[in-house]
Amino acid sequence: MNYATLLLSTENNICTITVNRPDKLNALNKDVFTDLDNVLDDIAADENIRSVIITGAGPKAFVAGADIAEFSSLDKKEAMALAKRGQDVFFKIENSYKPIIAAVNGFALGGGCELAMACHFRLCSENAKFGQPEVNLGLIPGYGGTQRLTQLVGKGKSMELQMTGQMVDANEALALGLVNHVTSAENLLDKTKEILTVIQSKAPVAIAKVIGCINTAVAGGIGENGYEKEVTSFGDCFETADMKEGTTAFLEKRKAVFTGK
Ligand code: COA
């Protein structure tokens, strides 16, 4: 399928999605949300794709935010619908049972920081800058930023960053736990693929269960108890061929070969 605002390439079962509006620093307009929504469905259904990278086109930005040009004509009801739409697409990323990692290659501001935070974890290049500068516009984050930044860096730092609108650079993002690794810009995608290759060598059902249980932990277990979910998910793994293969291979002192069954 073709997506007007995204570039897609798949290699070794890893699909790289590149948000492709470099002249607007990859700002998220309605079309990007439509394309992201659709591509996530297509990826979920595509057996050839086992994991995903999200990055931005050009050397300067991952995503510099929601498209501010779309804000000027909105009334309250429309603004709420926009925030809900953004949150729903980002929930789809967060709840994907296939791993989705952000490779942040420059500015990740506003909706860009929120997009990165909706991914399962993040790597960034040395020139990356993160921030929620919405207060500069008389706004607050609307695509989950008030919640996910708080989950990732803690209440005090989240308050400071969202009240001052200040950006943090790659090393501070690393120190805060906002990103897991910092690399050179040239090495960013290779390093991300290296990590996904390790993940892809594990049992896919187990990976999906890890994602579900950890999401329940940080979401405060809305309607769900994370410990109970862990018990059920642990049990579910015992019904998979991959669990039998993994435990048998260990006992037979050989490398497990997982099939996703
Ligand atoms: N929405 C819409 N357009 C955006 C944008 C956004 N969030 N971020 C950047 N752009 C556009 C600029 O308007 C400019 O377009 P133009 O060339 O047609 O005038 C182009 O992208 C390049 O941006 P520019 O501001 O010239 O680059 P810069 O290097 O001087 O500054 C930033 C880079 C990221 C600091 C600056 O673009 C910025 O502050 N962007 C907005 C960040 C923000 O507030 N995000 C949260 C939105 S809720």
Side-chain angles (χ1 to χ4, degrees), residues 21-28 60-61 63-71 107-112 114 131-134 136-137 139-143 167:
R21 299 184 71 214
D23 54 327
K24 296 291 176 192
L25 304 188
N26 306 318
L28 303 173
K60 204 166 157 182
V63 165
D67 193 326
I68 299 168
E70 286 185 346
F71 285 179
F107 290 111
L109 302 176
E114 292 170 299
Q132 297 291 162
E134 285 86 350
N136 296 330
L137 304 168
L139 282 173
I140 69 163
Y143 304 154
M167 297 184 209

Side-chain angles (χ1 to χ4, degrees), residues 111-134:
C113 189
E114 292 170 299
L115 171 62
M117 292 192 296
C119 295
H120 296 135
F121 59 91
R122 291 141 291 283
L123 278 72
C124 77
S125 55
E126 287 152 348
N127 67 328
K129 289 217 160 50
F130 296 80
Q132 297 291 162
E134 285 86 350

Side-chain angles (χ1 to χ4, degrees), residues 229-240:
K229 189 180 177 80
E230 186 180 276
V231 167
T232 310
S233 302
F234 183 79
D236 289 344
C237 292
F238 280 70
E239 293 190 321
T240 64

Side-chain angles (χ1 to χ4, degrees), residues 6 17 28 32-40 89-90 115:
L6 307 175
I17 301 174
L28 303 173
V32 180
F33 276 112
T34 302
D35 286 345
L36 279 175
D37 197 6
N38 290 334
V39 81
L40 290 163
V89 174
F90 288 2
L115 171 62

Side-chain angles (χ1 to χ4, degrees), residues 243-255:
M243 181 270 173
K244 289 181 181 55
E245 164 64 7
T247 48
T248 305
F250 176 81
L251 296 172
E252 291 176 354
K253 301 191 186 307
R254 62 173 174 82
K255 198 171 180 322

